[in-house]
């Protein structure tokens, strides 16, 4: 292996890698600290607690125990009676289909690699990223916590309604305020119960785990008792009689004999029922009119399978709160003046009933499908057991629920089904009346079942919160990651108990159930989304062992979850989504950064790829054009940014929109400068973050700066997302002989951008530009429009004024008129043009008449050409160059003082123009032999004879234009000016820099603008 010995440090041998994988320890996320704190005894326990559970014990039974619960025992009969068999079956089928589809998606995720203990939170966070994982994990935590509230309320309801009704603290006076009294009893007993359960969990989870088998046995025995009772009704129905007055169902809590009169020893007495409807026990007492004209009858509450009652229970019986429970097809005479009194023993709806409400109340009965995945750390083969056990448990419980819907409708009288609390059957639990051998089997079994489910919720929810807190994605939850020395989540338990108390204070099982339905449905929705995203992206790491999944099933499950959320309660759904959205944004902006290879990142990459391919179709329309900037930065010897204000200007121009690429070049070879390049990128990104510049950073290493900047201009960007504008700073020290390549690199950048048909922005005195925290309360942005550049000069001030720094500045546009131009008409035309462009700006037309070329211009040109020639022809050392430059400067000073006394020179006429026609006319005039002899002008001083006439005219233009700009825009916050193009002949490069220097001399902030050769602004909508 000598061939690979240099790579052993970073790339281990396959044998050592396999050895590490074989010794892999499956730990819960964030449990390392707990493992280190274990003592020797704890270590022995950990050895004993090796993954040994199979599919049946580890997944199937826990799922069964969690799915079958309080709703089955306390509300399913009422749902069947209210919604009817058909609609109840639809509710059950929808909810079971939702959990089955979710289980398929969960199985695919759970079998895609090793899943540590953590359940749905771990799966979603690693599949969809920390933002979604945190949001959905907290929703799942809230759902589990409110489930604890629901189980505790169910426990107290069974205790106070069916086991010891006399234990109530708050009593109702003659049925008045009975509901409020019951709610207060639930609050008191529920609070005591939650404190007791929290203490049990705090003392030790091992006691809860030991009791789990007992609670499971209660559930199984209760289910068996129900089926046994259904079979028995076929040949021997139990004797539970229901008392009816007319067709109205009566509550038998306050009377025992279903009759108006009782005959004993040939003497007729009025019954207790009589006293409830009449003002006295006498035969001539005044009674309720409905009671007078209708008979009292008794019917069998459990007619049995063979009775045919199933036909009567097919259809729904929804109604408002207070609606009496009446039997159809029962003789009844209406009483015109009958007034229903709450003191009369009628059975009535305690809440308004409708289809969507029943969906929200029923859905918690199918939750609990994550129980197997939560125990993945304790399974022999989690990737085999989780799919098999979960799907089998859902199939079993779905069969139980659907069969119970049909069997309840086929065995129990409709008025008894609609009697939520069993008042018509002597206060018995309705489902208990059906069971065999005794109703107490169901009552006791459901009591222990709901009690155990509440304990398990208080055990699981704090650990889920602890896992989220230890992941560090939600900073304010960090405190809940700590606990006792053995790792028990004490603080998380306290928070869970406090949130659970909120559900207890609500006190109504029917009100709490839809709340936890929202949180569970949101969790299941994102499990389906995670599977669908991973499947559609086809990421290489997506290789589940469970093969019976498809993205359409996941998408269907996600849609069904979302639909059920809004079906159950649209306002609860909106609140749940708002909570999840707030948590998502909080994690995104404040939370710790995590990279888990999540699917959302892959989705973003695919979306970006698709968009880039679409952008390749062609260049953007003028209406969509915006400056996509390539910002070229210079770095100092420490690889720090020289001009951070260039990035401030970038932010102000972009306001976070469009593409920004920040690039720089290091001189050298990549192998030697690789680390310097990374450090430079980090420094640039830090400055970008400080200046709030949103974009990409790209540092390349090149043998020379010229080629490096050229490569960036050519190749920066990707596909259609390429820059169209280059932003650079003016080389302030271009005249110094220390860096003769400085100005050459600058001119090469200008030439490269021109050749690439890209716009160019050059910021002069960039360090004096405002940062992002400054605010101009007044002032102007002055635009000097000399030549038409496609409208970029007009667009840039508009973009600047979108930023807070420049928002209060006014825009002024100056244009130049010459002798033959109509200034008034030019101003009107320009104002009309700006109106069509929807730009607000002041317009000024500056008249620049043909003037004499001053002697100062000649001298300036002479010094420029002499310096250029000397630097070209002589290979001077640094010291010699400095001395030569000083001599030229002294000579220039002497000549200038002499010329101030001799200013009478012949004029040279030069046009300022921004139209093609005037440019042609200017060239023809210069060739005109009838014009004034230019040669004579140059002969007025011997030094001027060798001057290039073109350079003199250019210098004259720069001087005069600079004078005009300074006179009008000296106080402007920034001046935008057309940038002349570089000479076609490279011999005049030094002169070009001098022209630009003179043009912008004396101005505090200048942005030279050169268009890219296309229209970038339009008058059309």
């Amino acid at each position: 292996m000598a061939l690979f010995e240099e790579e052993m440090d970073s790339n281990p041998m396959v044998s050592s890698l396999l050895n590490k994988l074989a010794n892999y320890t499956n730990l819960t996320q964030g449990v390392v600290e707990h493992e280190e704190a274990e003592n020797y005894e704890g270590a022995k326990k950990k050895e004993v607690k090796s993954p040994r559970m199979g599919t049946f014990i580890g997944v199937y039974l826990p799922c069964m125990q969690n799915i079958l619960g309080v709703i089955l025992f306390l509300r399913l009969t009422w749902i069947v009676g209210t919604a009817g068999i058909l609609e109840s079956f639809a509710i059950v089928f929808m909810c079971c289909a939702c959990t089955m589809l979710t289980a398929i998606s969960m199985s695919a995720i759970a079998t895609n690699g090793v899943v540590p203990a953590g359940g749905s939170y771990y799966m979603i966070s690693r599949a969809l990223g920390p933002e979604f994982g945190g949001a959905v994990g907290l929703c799942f935590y809230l759902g589990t916590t409110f489930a604890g509230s629901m189980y505790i309320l169910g426990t107290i309801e069974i205790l106070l309604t069916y086991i010891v009704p006399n234990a109530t603290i708050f009593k109702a006076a003659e049925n008045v305020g009975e509901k409020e009294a019951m709610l207060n009893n639930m609050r008191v007993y529920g609070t005591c119960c939650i404190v007791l359960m929290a203490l049990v969990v705090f003392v030790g989870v091992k006691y809860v785990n030991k009791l789990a088998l007992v609670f499971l046995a209660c559930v199984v025995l209760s289910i068996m008792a129900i089926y046994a009772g259904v079979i028995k009704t076929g040949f021997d129905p139990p004797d539970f009689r229901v008392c009816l007055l007319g067709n109205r169902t009566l509550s038998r809590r306050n009377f025992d004999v279903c009759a108006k009169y009782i005959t004993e020893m040939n003497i007729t007495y009025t019954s207790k029922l009589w006293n409830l409807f009449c003002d006295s026990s006498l035969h001539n007492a005044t009674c309720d009119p409905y009671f007078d004209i209708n008979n009292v009858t008794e019917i069998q509450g459990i007619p049995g399978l063979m009775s045919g009652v199933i036909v009567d229970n097919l259809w729904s019986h929804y109604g408002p709160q207070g609606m009496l429970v009446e039997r159809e097809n029962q003789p009844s005479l209406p009483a015109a003046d009958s007034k229903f009194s709450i003191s009369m023993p009628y059975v009535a709806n305690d809440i308004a009933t409708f289809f969507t409400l029943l969906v929200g109340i029923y859905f918690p009965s199918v939750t609990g499908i994550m129980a197997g995945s939560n125990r993945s750390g304790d399974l022999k083969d989690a990737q085999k057991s989780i799919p098999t056990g979960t799907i089998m448990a859902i199939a079993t419980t779905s069969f139980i629920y659907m069969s119970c819907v049909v069997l309840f409708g086929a065995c129990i009288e409709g008025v008894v089904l609609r009697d939520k609390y069993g008042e018509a059957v002597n206060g018995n639990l309705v489902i208990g009346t059906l069971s065999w051998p005794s109703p107490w089997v169901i009552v006791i079994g459901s009591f222990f079942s709901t009690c155990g489910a509440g304990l398990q919720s208080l055990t699981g929810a704090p650990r889920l919160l602890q896992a989220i807190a230890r992941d560090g994605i939600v900073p304010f939850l960090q405190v809940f990651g700590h606990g006792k020395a053995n790792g028990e989540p004490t603080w998380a338990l306290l928070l869970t108990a406090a949130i659970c108390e909120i559900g207890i204070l609500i006190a109504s099982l029917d009100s709490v159930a839809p709340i936890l339905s929202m949180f569970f449905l949101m969790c299941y929705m994102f499990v389906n989304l995670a599977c669908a995203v991973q499947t559609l992206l086809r990421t290489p790491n997506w290789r589940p062992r469970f093969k019976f999944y498809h993205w359409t099933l996941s998408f269907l499950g996600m849609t069904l979850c979302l639909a059920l959320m809004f079906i159950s309660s649209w306002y609860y759904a909106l609140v749940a989504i708002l909570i999840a959205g707030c948590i998502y944004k909080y994690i995104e902006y404040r939370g710790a950064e995590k990279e888990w290879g999540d699917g959302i990142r892959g989705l973003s990459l695919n979306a970006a790829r698709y968009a880039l391919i679409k952008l390749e179709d062609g260049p953007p329309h003028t209406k969509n054009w915006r400056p996509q900037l390539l910002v070229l930065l210079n770095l100092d010897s420490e690889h720090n940014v020289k001009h951070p204000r260039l990035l401030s200007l970038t932010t102000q121009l972009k306001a976070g929109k469009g593409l920004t690429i920040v690039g720089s070049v290091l001189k050298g070879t990549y192998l030697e400068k690789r680390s310097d390049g990374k450090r430079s990128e980090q420094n640039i990104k830090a400055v970008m973050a400080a200046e709030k510049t949103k974009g990409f950073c790209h540092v390349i290493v090149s043998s020379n700066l010229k080629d490096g900047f050229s490569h960036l201009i050519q190749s920066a960007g990707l596909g259609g997302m390429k820059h169209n504008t280059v932003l650079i700073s003016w080389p302030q020290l271009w005249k110094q002989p220390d860096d003769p390549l400085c100005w050459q690199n600058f001119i090469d950048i200008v030439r490269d951008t021109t050749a690439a048909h890209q716009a160019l922005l050059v910021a002069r005195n960039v360090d004096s530009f405002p940062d992002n925290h400054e605010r101009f309360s007044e002032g102007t942005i002055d635009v000097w429009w000399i030549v038409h550049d496609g409208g970029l000069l007009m667009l840039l001030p508009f973009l600047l004024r979108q930023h807070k720094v420049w928002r209060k500045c006014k825009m002024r546009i100056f244009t130049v008129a010459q002798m033959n131009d109509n200034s008034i008409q030019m101003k009107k035309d320009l104002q009309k043009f700006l109106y069509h462009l929807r730009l607000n700006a002041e317009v000024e037309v500056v008249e620049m008449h043909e003037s004499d070329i001053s002697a100062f211009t000649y001298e300036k040109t002479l010094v420029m050409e002499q310096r250029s020639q000397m630097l070209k022809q002589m290979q001077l050392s640094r010291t010699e160059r400095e001395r030569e430059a000083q001599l030229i400067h002294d000579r220039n000073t002497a000549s200038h003082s002499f010329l101030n006394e001799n200013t009478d020179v012949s004029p040279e006429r030069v046009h300022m123009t921004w139209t093609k026609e005037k440019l042609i006319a200017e060239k023809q005039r210069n060739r005109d032999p009838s014009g004034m002899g230019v040669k004579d002008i140059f002969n007025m001083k011997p030094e001027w004879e060798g001057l290039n006439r073109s350079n003199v005219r250019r210098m004259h233009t720069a001087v005069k234009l600079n004078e005009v700009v300074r006179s009008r825009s000296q106080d402007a916050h920034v001046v935008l000016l057309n940038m002349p193009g570089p000479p076609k002949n490279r011999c005049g490069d030094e002169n070009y820099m001098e022209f630009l220097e003179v043009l912008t001399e004396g101005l505090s902030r200048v942005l030279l603008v050169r268009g890219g050769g296309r229209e970038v602004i339009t008058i059309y909508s």
Side-chain angles (χ1 to χ4, degrees):
M1 291 298 144
L3 187 62
F4 298 98
E5 61 186 5
E6 293 182 359
E7 301 178 20
M8 292 298 181
D9 292 337
S10 58
N11 302 329
M13 290 290 294
V14 173
S15 57
S16 62
L17 176 66
L18 292 176
N19 185 42
K20 290 178 182 178
L21 291 176
N23 295 327
Y24 172 76
T25 305
N26 193 358
L27 295 177
T28 306
Q29 189 75 17
V31 160
V32 178
E33 298 87 350
H34 167 51
E35 292 296 329
E36 291 176 351
E38 284 282 335
N39 53 21
Y40 176 72
E41 187 177 342
K44 285 203 302 181
K45 288 181 182 178
K46 191 176 79 170
E47 289 176 12
V48 173
K49 190 186 175 182
S50 57
R52 292 178 179 175
M53 288 193 291
T55 303
F56 186 75
I57 298 295
V59 181
Y60 181 78
L61 290 182
C63 285
M64 286 279 292
Q65 181 182 357
N66 278 266
I67 294 172
L68 299 171
V70 61
I71 301 296
L72 170 64
F73 300 125
L74 295 183
R75 292 291 182 270
L76 188 58
T77 53
W78 173 70
I79 291 173
V80 173
T82 305
I85 294 175
L86 296 180
E87 291 186 30
S88 299
F89 195 87
I91 292 173
V92 173
F93 180 80
M94 278 196 304
C95 296
C96 292
C98 176
T99 54
M100 179 61 80
L101 293 171
T102 303
I104 292 172
S105 300
M106 185 192 73
S107 300
I109 298 173
T111 59
N112 187 50
V114 178
V115 179
S120 60
Y121 162 69
Y122 183 90
M123 290 187 291
I124 295 172
S125 62
R126 270 54 179 182
L128 293 180
E131 293 87 1
F132 277 110
V136 179
L138 286 175
C139 285
F140 189 53
Y141 163 74
L142 290 173
T144 307
T145 305
F146 276 103
S149 300
M150 184 186 72
Y151 292 133
I152 293 172
L153 289 174
T155 302
I156 303 304
E157 183 178 313
I158 294 170
L159 179 70
L160 296 181
T161 308
Y162 306 112
I163 299 179
V164 280
N166 297 324
T168 55
I169 299 173
F170 299 92
K171 306 291 184 180
E174 295 183 357
N175 292 337
V176 178
E178 184 176 351
K179 182 178 180 181
E180 288 72 17
M182 186 62 183
L183 292 179
N184 289 329
N185 286 316
M186 299 279 280
R187 292 184 180 106
V188 173
Y189 277 93
T191 302
C192 296
C193 186
I194 197 173
V195 170
L196 183 62
M197 287 184 175
L199 285 175
V200 171
V201 173
F202 178 77
V203 169
V205 183
K206 57 183 179 180
Y207 301 112
V208 179
N209 292 334
K210 287 179 180 178
L211 291 172
L213 194 60
V214 177
F215 300 142
L216 178 61
C218 291
V219 174
V220 174
L221 288 176
S222 299
I223 299 295
M224 293 174 64
I226 293 171
Y227 281 106
V230 169
I231 295 172
K232 183 175 179 293
T233 63
F235 55 87
D236 184 16
D239 186 26
F240 284 98
R241 296 188 173 275
V242 178
C243 187
L244 300 177
L245 175 62
N247 64 351
R248 297 176 181 178
T249 309
L250 298 178
S251 171
R252 301 193 73 156
R253 290 182 184 274
N254 298 316
F255 68 93
D256 49 0
V257 179
C258 182
K260 293 182 181 181
Y261 306 101
I262 301 174
T263 302
E264 292 183 359
M265 300 178 65
N266 296 324
I267 302 175
T268 303
Y269 303 95
T270 56
S271 66
K272 290 183 179 180
L273 182 62
W274 177 281
N275 295 332
L276 295 174
F277 284 94
C278 303
D279 57 1
S280 73
S281 60
L282 301 176
H283 290 278
N284 60 351
T286 303
C287 297
D288 179 76
Y290 188 84
F291 181 77
D292 280 336
I293 64 176
N294 283 282
N295 295 323
V296 176
T297 57
E298 271 191 321
I299 62 170
Q300 188 61 261
I302 313 292
L305 275 175
M306 311 308 292
S307 63
V309 73
I310 188 172
V311 178
D312 299 327
N313 292 331
L314 284 176
W315 312 109
S316 61
H317 297 85
Y318 302 117
Q321 182 178 357
M323 185 185 82
L324 299 179
V325 176
E326 299 176 341
R327 186 173 189 259
E328 293 181 352
N329 304 322
Q330 182 75 15
S332 173
L333 297 175
D337 56 344
S338 176
K339 294 182 179 178
F340 167 62
S341 171
I342 197 167
S343 63
M344 295 180 182
Y346 290 127
V347 177
N349 287 349
D350 62 332
I351 57 173
T353 54
F354 40 89
F355 180 80
T356 56
L357 173 74
L358 300 186
V359 174
I361 292 175
Y362 172 76
F363 187 81
S365 67
V366 296
T367 59
I369 63 173
M370 301 289 184
S373 62
N374 291 343
R375 290 168 171 79
S376 57
D378 300 324
L379 300 173
K380 282 183 184 178
D381 187 356
Q383 296 192 6
K384 177 182 177 182
S385 298
I386 290 176
T388 307
T390 305
I391 292 174
M392 288 300 295
I394 293 174
T396 304
T397 54
S398 298
F399 171 78
I400 291 173
Y401 281 128
M402 291 180 186
S403 62
C404 281
V405 167
V406 177
L407 293 176
F408 290 165
C411 295
I412 305 175
E413 180 63 47
V415 292
V416 178
L417 287 173
R418 299 200 296 280
D419 182 7
K420 184 186 291 186
Y421 301 108
E423 295 174 299
V425 285
N426 301 319
N428 282 298
L429 182 64
V430 173
I431 197 172
T433 61
L434 186 63
S435 65
W436 181 86
S438 168
W440 285 99
V441 175
I442 295 290
V443 173
I444 301 300
S446 61
F447 176 78
F448 283 110
S449 171
T450 52
C451 185
L455 274 173
Q456 288 189 339
S457 295
L458 285 178
T459 304
R463 278 157 180 74
L464 178 59
L465 182 62
Q466 186 183 45
I468 298 172
R470 286 184 171 179
D471 258 348
I473 59 174
V474 185
F476 70 83
L477 292 179
Q478 297 273 353
V479 65
F480 299 109
H482 307 294
K484 292 193 293 185
N486 63 350
E488 292 297 319
T490 308
W491 293 107
L493 176 61
L494 288 175
L495 179 65
T496 302
I499 297 174
C500 203
E501 178 64 17
I502 297 174
I504 298 297
L505 293 177
I506 295 173
S508 172
L509 182 68
D510 301 325
S511 300
V512 173
I515 297 176
L516 66 101
S517 293
M518 293 304 110
F519 293 121
F520 278 119
L521 280 166
M522 181 166 288
C523 176
Y524 297 165
M525 180 177 71
F526 280 102
V527 169
N528 285 296
L529 175 63
C531 182
V533 167
Q534 297 279 30
T535 306
L536 288 172
L537 291 178
R538 298 179 183 175
T539 51
N541 193 53
W542 179 245
R543 303 185 300 274
R545 289 189 179 276
F546 180 75
K547 301 300 182 183
F548 305 100
Y549 70 94
H550 195 266
W551 70 267
T552 53
L553 295 177
S554 300
F555 186 78
L556 179 62
M558 182 181 68
T559 307
L560 191 55
C561 288
L562 187 63
L564 285 174
M565 285 178 68
F566 283 93
I567 287 173
S568 303
S569 175
W570 64 267
Y571 45 90
Y572 279 158
L574 291 178
V575 171
I577 291 172
L578 181 63
I579 291 173
C582 291
I583 298 170
Y584 178 94
K585 298 306 289 186
Y586 176 82
I587 296 173
E588 185 179 21
Y589 289 112
R590 300 282 184 183
E593 293 185 1
K594 297 283 183 180
E595 179 53 60
W596 288 328
D598 53 273
I600 293 298
R601 183 174 177 84
L603 189 63
S604 301
L605 289 172
N606 266 310
R609 169 185 164 274
Y610 176 78
L612 286 171
I613 291 174
K614 294 292 289 183
L615 283 175
E616 284 282 7
D617 291 342
H621 192 272
T622 304
K623 290 186 288 187
N624 298 324
W625 194 94
R626 66 167 62 244
Q628 316 287 9
L629 290 180
L630 170 62
V631 185
L632 299 180
L633 296 178
N634 291 320
L635 306 177
D636 58 20
S637 58
E638 299 297 324
H639 306 293
N640 294 318
V641 178
K642 281 186 178 180
H643 304 293
R645 292 293 174 86
L646 199 62
L647 292 175
S648 302
L649 177 61
T650 303
T651 302
Q652 294 158 23
L653 269 173
K654 301 294 293 181
K657 303 295 190 297
L659 174 69
T660 300
I661 303 173
V662 181
S664 189
V665 178
L666 297 181
K667 187 176 180 180
T669 61
Y670 179 69
L671 293 178
E672 296 174 354
K673 297 285 186 178
R674 181 177 56 181
S675 59
D676 291 341
K678 291 183 178 179
R679 188 163 65 253
S680 300
E681 280 196 4
Q682 292 175 354
N683 293 339
I684 292 174
K685 286 179 179 178
V687 178
M688 290 174 67
E691 299 296 339
K692 298 181 180 179
T693 304
K694 297 180 181 179
F696 308 98
C697 178
H698 193 29
V699 177
I700 65 172
V701 181
S702 179
S703 57
N704 58 74
L705 298 181
K706 172 189 171 182
D707 291 343
F709 284 124
S710 179
H711 292 157
L712 277 176
I713 292 171
Q714 294 176 59
S715 59
L718 180 65
M721 284 296 286
K722 293 183 71 70
H723 62 280
N724 54 29
T725 305
V726 177
L727 173 61
I728 57 175
S729 60
W730 172 261
Q732 296 285 1
L733 306 178
W734 71 273
K735 287 187 177 181
Q736 292 189 4
D738 296 345
D739 190 8
L741 296 178
C742 174
W743 56 270
Q744 293 179 2
N745 291 334
F746 174 81
I747 295 177
D748 285 332
I749 289 173
V750 177
R751 283 200 171 94
D752 288 342
T753 55
T754 304
H757 299 290
Q758 295 171 3
L760 176 66
L761 308 179
V762 180
R764 171 124 195 219
N765 302 325
V766 68
D767 293 327
S768 68
F769 274 68
D771 62 22
N772 294 321
H773 302 291
E774 295 183 38
R775 301 287 185 271
F776 290 130
S777 58
E778 56 182 1
T780 61
I781 301 173
D782 287 0
V783 178
W784 284 83
W785 193 20
I786 311 301
V787 295
H788 183 55
D789 61 347
L792 185 58
L793 267 175
M794 308 290 183
L795 191 60
L796 290 176
F798 171 77
L799 295 175
L800 279 176
R801 292 181 68 239
Q802 304 303 304
H803 197 273
K804 294 178 181 179
V805 174
W806 306 92
R807 186 162 293 165
K808 295 184 179 180
C809 294
K810 294 181 180 179
M811 177 178 168
R812 295 194 301 179
I813 295 183
F814 297 89
T815 189
V816 176
Q818 300 179 54
M819 184 176 292
N820 298 328
D821 294 325
N822 185 340
S823 302
I824 298 175
Q825 187 61 40
M826 281 182 64
K827 186 172 182 178
K828 290 181 179 179
D829 292 342
L830 185 53
Q831 287 175 335
K832 184 177 180 180
F833 181 57
L834 290 176
Y835 176 78
H836 286 306
L837 290 177
R838 289 92 64 200
L839 295 175
N840 297 320
E842 297 179 9
V843 175
E844 288 192 37
V845 178
V846 179
E847 295 183 354
M848 290 186 62
H849 299 297
E850 297 172 353
S851 60
D852 298 338
I853 298 178
S854 66
F856 173 73
T857 302
Y858 284 110
E859 278 303 315
K860 196 78 173 174
T861 309
L862 176 63
V863 174
M864 177 186 70
E865 290 195 354
Q866 286 178 343
R867 179 181 181 279
S868 176
Q869 289 298 324
M870 290 176 68
L871 292 179
K872 279 182 180 179
Q873 295 173 3
M874 300 174 60
Q875 300 296 327
L876 302 177
S877 66
R878 177 179 177 183
T879 307
E880 290 171 329
R881 289 190 179 191
E882 290 178 354
R883 185 170 61 251
E884 190 66 27
Q886 185 63 42
L887 288 173
I888 294 174
H889 179 266
D890 295 341
R891 181 176 176 184
N892 175 33
T893 306
S895 301
H896 184 49
S897 60
F898 170 76
L899 286 168
N900 285 337
E901 303 171 2
N902 303 281
T903 57
D904 187 15
V905 294
S906 301
E908 167 64 15
R909 299 174 182 272
V910 178
H911 279 282
M912 289 298 302
T913 180
W914 51 279
T915 63
K916 184 177 179 181
E917 294 77 6
K918 291 183 178 178
L919 180 62
I920 296 172
E922 174 69 13
K923 290 181 179 179
Q924 291 176 349
R925 190 188 65 76
N926 288 335
R927 296 196 192 100
D928 189 359
S930 62
M932 185 171 184
V934 179
K935 183 177 180 181
D936 295 337
I937 299 173
F938 284 93
N939 289 336
M940 293 192 69
K941 283 199 69 174
E943 293 88 348
W944 298 350
E945 292 182 4
L947 293 180
N948 184 295
R949 301 179 186 182
S950 175
N951 286 344
V952 174
R953 289 194 297 273
R954 291 171 185 267
M955 184 63 74
H956 176 65
T957 302
V959 170
K960 297 302 292 182
L961 188 55
N962 178 258
E963 290 176 359
V964 174
V965 173
R966 279 195 296 174
S967 66
R968 302 295 183 95
S969 302
Q970 188 69 46
D971 297 329
H973 288 312
V974 66
V975 176
L976 280 72
L977 191 63
N978 281 118
M979 180 180 180
K984 295 181 180 179
N985 188 354
R986 286 185 174 271
C987 298
D989 285 355
E990 304 90 340
N991 302 339
Y992 176 67
M993 295 297 293
E994 191 72 45
F995 295 146
L996 295 181
E997 180 80 32
V998 172
L999 181 62
T1000 57
E1001 195 173 8
L1003 298 172
S1004 59
R1005 301 186 190 99
V1006 182
L1007 193 61
L1008 293 172
V1009 181
R1010 182 165 175 77
R1014 62 164 294 173
E1015 294 292 332
V1016 300
I1017 194 167
T1018 177
I1019 66 174
Y1020 299 104
S1021 61

